[in-house]
Amino acid sequence: MRRLLDVPAPAKLNLFLHITGRRDDGYHLLQSVFMLIDWCDLLHFERRDDGGIDREDIGPGLASGALPAEDLSVLAAKALRDATGCTQGVRIGLEKRLPAEAGMGGGSSDAATTLLALNRLWGLGLTRRELATIGLRLGADVPFFLGGRNAWVEGAGEQITPLHLAPARFVVVKPPTGASTQRIFGSPELKRDTKTATIQGFAANDAGNKTDAMGRGFQASGALDIQEILAFGHNDLQPVAEAICPEVGHCIQWLKSQGLQSRMTGSGTAVFAHLAQAKNLTPAPGGWTVRECANMDAHPLLDWCTD
């Protein structure tokens, strides 16, 4: 095998994102539900026998926003080679469809797809757990994408519990302005003390207060209802992001004018709303990206390696 073409790297939405504290090393502690959606970057991989690793933008999509040598897909390839002693190389073609600084995990997903693809292309045979150990050094979201399932995520992003979510559709809106993760998390205005919840309460239909038992109305034996999760949570990063990028608030107000309640996803400037039924949206302001998406039950490359 010398080539792998049109390999998907799906985005994620955070149905909520609570910051519950901060570690001594500066990493923030979070709790969130990460959900895969069917909006994907596409990557092409061609094996090189000379050991070189490079990347180019291809197709009609967006530019990646990073210098090729600093792109997470390139860093992932180098990290995988360093961890295994592999001497092969790769040429990576990236068709960027996900907007940058959106909070949708685009770069981390590209890195995860690169690890999965090169594990196959280079014949390394690493397990998902071994790839996740490498991936965590690249970014806190990378292990989630390698895990391949929608999940309850906590700690610094490394504690992942798979969840089964009910099928649903969403509209995602991204203004042209972005906001860096570092700037948002570094703000002194960021709320960092949301009360910690439990996964047991989240999934087991506890009868307690929603601030300490997230599972109110959920059934552990079936798919978790999207609207119930949205009713529970919020995004602690949203007020900071709105101060940095007022267009986040403009997107939320535009969706409200369409009869939709929305919130920001992750640590970027994209917002989303759950579509309980089909909607005909009025035209958005110029420069905004508006896309209707569905959630995914599993990553398209879930079976590309063993656990």
Side-chain angles (χ1 to χ4, degrees), residues 206-259:
D206 272 345
N209 189 291
K210 283 191 180 181
T211 59
D212 58 16
M214 294 182 54
R216 194 173 188 180
F218 299 150
Q219 297 294 329
S221 59
L224 302 181
D225 182 79
I226 298 294
Q227 200 57 46
E228 290 288 345
I229 301 173
L230 292 171
F232 162 78
H234 57 273
N235 188 336
D236 279 327
L237 307 181
Q238 185 171 316
V240 174
E242 288 191 53
I244 294 171
C245 176
E247 282 189 288
V248 172
H250 300 163
C251 291
I252 290 171
Q253 288 302 314
W254 179 74
L255 285 166
K256 186 176 181 180
S257 74
Q258 315 292 311

Side-chain angles (χ1 to χ4, degrees), residues 70-294:
E70 299 171 355
D71 189 90
L72 275 176
S73 60
V74 172
L75 296 179
K78 291 179 177 178
L80 182 61
R81 197 172 62 178
D82 291 345
T84 60
C86 177
T87 60
Q88 297 181 67
V90 66
R91 174 166 289 110
I92 302 170
L94 174 58
E95 185 176 335
K96 194 68 181 171
R97 298 179 173 184
L98 302 174
E101 295 189 339
M104 298 166 64
S108 293
S109 187
D110 292 344
T113 286
T114 297
L115 292 173
L116 289 164
L118 295 185
N119 190 43
R120 170 174 285 205
L121 191 67
W122 290 344
L124 300 175
L126 271 61
T127 66
R128 195 179 315 277
R129 184 181 298 273
E130 290 169 323
L131 291 176
T133 299
I134 299 169
L136 184 59
R137 305 185 199 118
L138 299 165
D141 289 350
V142 179
F144 160 72
F145 288 107
L146 289 168
R149 297 285 187 185
N150 300 314
W152 161 278
V153 179
E154 56 187 333
E158 81 286 2
Q159 300 174 37
I160 301 168
T161 303
L163 295 175
H164 181 34
L165 303 178
R169 297 197 67 81
F170 302 84
V171 59
V172 181
V173 182
K174 171 67 171 67
T177 309
S180 72
T181 296
Q182 291 80 2
R183 187 176 180 190
I184 292 174
F185 273 104
S187 170
E189 304 302 318
L190 176 62
K191 176 179 169 63
R192 298 177 170 90
D193 60 355
T194 294
K195 189 171 181 180
T196 302
T198 65
I199 183 63
Q200 290 83 6
F202 176 77
N205 193 22
D206 272 345
N209 189 291
K210 283 191 180 181
T211 59
D212 58 16
M214 294 182 54
R216 194 173 188 180
F218 299 150
Q219 297 294 329
S221 59
L224 302 181
D225 182 79
I226 298 294
Q227 200 57 46
E228 290 288 345
I229 301 173
L230 292 171
F232 162 78
H234 57 273
N235 188 336
D236 279 327
L237 307 181
Q238 185 171 316
V240 174
E242 288 191 53
I244 294 171
C245 176
E247 282 189 288
V248 172
H250 300 163
C251 291
I252 290 171
Q253 288 302 314
W254 179 74
L255 285 166
K256 186 176 181 180
S257 74
Q258 315 292 311
L260 297 170
Q261 295 299 311
S262 61
R263 71 173 48 133
M264 195 177 83
T265 176
S267 58
T269 58
V271 304
F272 70 96
H274 177 217
L275 295 174
Q277 58 189 21
K279 279 275 187 181
N280 292 318
L281 300 177
T282 60
W288 290 13
T289 299
V290 180
R291 184 179 177 109
E292 187 174 330
C293 305

